[in-house]
């Protein structure tokens, strides 16, 4: 395992459709984060898992968004009834449980809603 | 709450010239500071981080940054840039003891021959 893996890398979907993204963190990392990055902006925090427990969710994560990490390994981020404003890069990061260690980022999933 | 301001959205510079990318933060609690680099259509790679100790931090690719608590700044510097340094650079802060990162809007560094 050489890093954080995200799938797919690109997704084009029609408005109103549901989409699901997957993140596979570095295998020994307990912490997993999702961020959203819109064009010309820095990443914004969406949610955070410690093992399988979702410990924090941003108010950016509306009711249409849901994230899971069922076995404390990979995570999925689902967006229901997509809107054009959901178009963004969705980044996943993982880190060991030791505080303030570097967070390792995946290459992201770029979502385009048409 | 913490926030980060990157004072320049774009910085053009000639190859082999020095560069400084400016970052200011605000926080009512102790923080840790980070600089990340993002190449086109890629994720973020950590350049360097300040947790405690010496205020001058050295990172990868010849970059360094200085933490200035009184000015709440964490500016990134490189004495001589290369074409390959062309990328987006993000300053980020996290509350001490907590991993969630708050990012600035980014600075696009464009290195010209």
């Amino acid at each position: 395992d050489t890093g954080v893996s995200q799938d797919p890398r690109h997704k084009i979907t029609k408005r109103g459709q549901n989409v699901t993204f997957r993140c596979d963190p570095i295998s020994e990392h307990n912490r997993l984060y999702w961020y959203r990055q819109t064009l010309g902006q820095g990443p914004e925090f969406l949610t955070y898992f410690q093992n399988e427990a979702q410990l924090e969710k941003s108010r950016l994560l509306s009711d249409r968004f849901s994230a899971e990490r069922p076995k404390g390994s990979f995570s999925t981020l689902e967006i229901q009834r997509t809107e054009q404003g959901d178009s963004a890069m969705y980044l996943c990061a993982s880190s060991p449980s030791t505080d303030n260690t570097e967070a390792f980022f995946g290459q992201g999933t770029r979502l385009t809603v048409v | 709450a913490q926030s980060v301001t990157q004072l320049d959205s774009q910085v053009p510079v000639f190859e082999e010239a020095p560069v400084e990318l400016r970052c200011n933060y605000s926080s009512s609690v102790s923080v840790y500071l980070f600089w990340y680099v993002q190449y086109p259509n890629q994720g973020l790679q950590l350049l360097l981080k300040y947790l405690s100790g010496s205020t001058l931090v050295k990172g990868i690719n010849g970059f360094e940054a200085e933490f200035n608590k009184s000015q709440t700044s964490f500016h990134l510097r490189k004495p001589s840039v290369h074409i390959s340094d062309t990328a987006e650079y993000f300053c980020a802060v996290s509350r001490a003891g907590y991993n969630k990162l708050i990012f600035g809007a980014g600075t696009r560094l464009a290195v010209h021959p």
Side-chain angles (χ1 to χ4, degrees):
Chain A
D1 188 345
T2 56
V4 177
S5 176
Q6 292 188 245
D7 182 72
R9 291 291 309 280
H10 304 275
K11 177 72 176 179
I12 300 175
T13 191
K14 292 184 178 179
R15 189 171 49 189
Q17 297 294 305
N18 299 345
V19 294
T20 300
F21 310 140
R22 177 180 171 122
C23 171
D24 287 90
I26 294 172
S27 58
E28 64 269 25
H29 287 184
N30 295 328
R31 297 183 175 183
L32 187 146
Y33 314 83
W34 285 98
Y35 290 84
R36 181 174 69 185
Q37 184 179 21
T38 53
L39 204 61
Q41 298 298 315
E44 296 173 293
F45 171 81
L46 291 178
T47 190
Y48 155 56
F49 289 85
Q50 172 85 21
N51 298 314
E52 67 275 8
Q54 188 174 22
L55 298 185
E56 185 175 349
K57 293 195 298 185
S58 164
R59 64 180 184 276
L60 293 175
L61 215 63
S62 75
D63 292 344
R64 297 184 297 106
F65 287 71
S66 63
E68 294 182 341
R69 194 182 182 196
K71 297 182 179 179
S73 56
F74 73 92
S75 175
T76 58
L77 178 68
E78 181 183 18
I79 309 174
Q80 295 182 326
R81 305 181 302 282
T82 52
E83 302 173 356
Q84 286 191 321
D86 298 330
S87 295
M89 176 79 88
Y90 291 84
L91 293 164
C92 177
S94 70
S95 70
S97 57
T98 305
D99 286 341
N100 303 306
T101 304
E102 174 185 355
F104 293 80
F105 282 81
Q107 292 187 310
T109 294
R110 181 167 295 283
L111 173 67
T112 302
V113 181
V114 297
Chain B
Q2 294 78 47
S3 68
V4 176
T5 302
Q6 291 186 242
L7 297 162
D8 307 293
S9 59
Q10 296 186 62
V11 172
V13 64
F14 287 109
E15 194 173 19
E16 297 183 6
V19 70
E20 178 180 81
L21 306 184
R22 298 181 293 168
C23 172
N24 285 91
Y25 69 93
S26 67
S27 177
S28 58
V29 298
S30 295
V31 295
Y32 299 121
L33 294 153
F34 306 81
W35 275 98
Y36 281 85
V37 61
Q38 185 176 36
Y39 299 101
N41 296 314
Q42 299 294 315
L44 283 81
Q45 180 183 11
L46 182 69
L47 282 176
L48 47 78
K49 61 185 176 184
Y50 172 79
L51 305 183
S52 65
S54 172
T55 57
L56 183 63
V57 180
K58 294 190 182 295
I60 63 171
N61 300 341
F63 284 94
E64 64 181 31
E66 186 158 17
F67 171 59
N68 188 319
K69 187 175 182 179
S70 63
Q71 297 187 3
T72 61
S73 67
F74 190 55
H75 300 333
L76 180 71
R77 301 186 184 102
K78 186 169 182 177
S80 176
V81 293
H82 303 290
I83 296 287
S84 59
D85 292 323
T86 295
E88 190 89 19
Y89 291 80
F90 293 96
C91 182
V93 63
S94 71
R95 197 176 73 202
Y98 192 50
N99 282 124
K100 184 175 79 175
L101 293 166
I102 306 298
F103 286 88
T107 297
R108 181 170 298 279
L109 175 64
V111 181
H112 301 285

